Amino acid sequence: MTVNDTAVFLARLAILIAIYLLLWSIVRLAVRSSAEPERAHERPGSSQAWFGVEAPAATGLPRGAALAAGADTRIGRDPSNDLALADRTVSAFHARLARLRGRWVLEDLDSTNGTSVQGHRLAPRSELRGGERGYFGAVGLRFGLDRAQALRVVGESQQQGEQDEVHQQRGATVAHEG
């Protein structure tokens, strides 16, 4: 192999590497943009949702508190999450709420104790429309499209819980689905 042949070989190799890097960048960009929430066609104000705290477990959050959630909200025990739930039954990086193609989607991030919506474990994601009860480990939250809806649903749940306590004190057993 002569010096000239080596130079041609190295030039061809550099071109192949450049083409590979270009294709890798294009694929990476396509995958990243398909995984990110779509915001281009959303109406103003629709990129925020709310959770009402229904069963705080050991988080220290008050029952009935409203928690804002954005179009890409990470939920978990680790303080770096957008919505940190300090309870040992919640995984460090438990779930993700995202706005995808105009719809709210809740996705479990392979958490240890699972994420459920309306009593059904996520496999692996579920669309939320407002009013659903979700559990992240032992922490129960109600999803709302706006703050008033999240608080109204939690308020109804609190009133029902108070009614159950009154009925139980009178000796009646009351079972409610929800």
Side-chain angles (χ1 to χ4, degrees):
M1 199 176 228
T2 67
V3 173
N4 202 17
D5 291 339
T6 304
V8 169
F9 173 76
L10 290 175
R12 287 181 179 170
L13 184 61
I15 291 171
L16 285 174
I17 290 172
I19 290 171
Y20 171 77
L21 290 174
L22 176 67
L23 290 174
W24 180 73
S25 296
I26 291 171
V27 168
R28 190 171 144 216
L29 180 63
V31 168
R32 185 182 301 158
S33 65
S34 70
E36 290 180 1
E38 181 180 303
R39 296 177 178 95
H41 297 97
E42 293 182 11
R43 65 184 195 278
S46 66
S47 62
Q48 187 173 29
W50 293 85
F51 283 107
V53 178
E54 189 171 271
T59 61
L61 296 169
R63 185 176 177 165
L67 308 172
D72 189 16
T73 299
R74 303 282 175 169
I75 302 165
R77 189 180 67 248
D78 191 277
S80 69
N81 285 291
D82 304 304
L83 186 55
L85 302 173
D87 183 83
R88 64 182 179 81
T89 64
V90 177
S91 294
F93 301 97
H94 198 101
R96 174 180 173 237
L97 177 70
R99 183 91 170 148
L100 301 170
R101 293 185 246 357
R103 296 181 177 164
W104 288 99
V105 177
L106 183 63
E107 174 183 16
D108 184 79
L109 300 177
D110 295 323
S111 63
T112 302
N113 290 316
T115 304
S116 64
V117 173
Q118 298 299 96
H120 301 285
R121 193 166 180 147
L122 293 186
R125 57 174 59 175
S126 178
E127 181 179 338
L128 301 179
R129 298 185 178 170
E132 293 91 350
R133 174 188 288 162
Y135 273 87
F136 306 88
V139 179
L141 305 176
R142 285 277 185 167
F143 176 76
L145 298 176
D146 57 41
R147 188 174 192 272
Q149 182 185 36
L151 293 177
R152 182 178 66 244
V153 173
V154 170
E156 291 169 2
S157 176
Q158 283 179 313
Q159 288 174 353
Q160 187 61 56
E162 291 167 4
Q163 289 173 0
D164 290 350
E165 289 176 20
V166 168
H167 288 295
Q168 289 172 354
Q169 289 172 358
R170 292 183 183 157
T173 302
V174 180
H176 293 278
E177 290 187 30

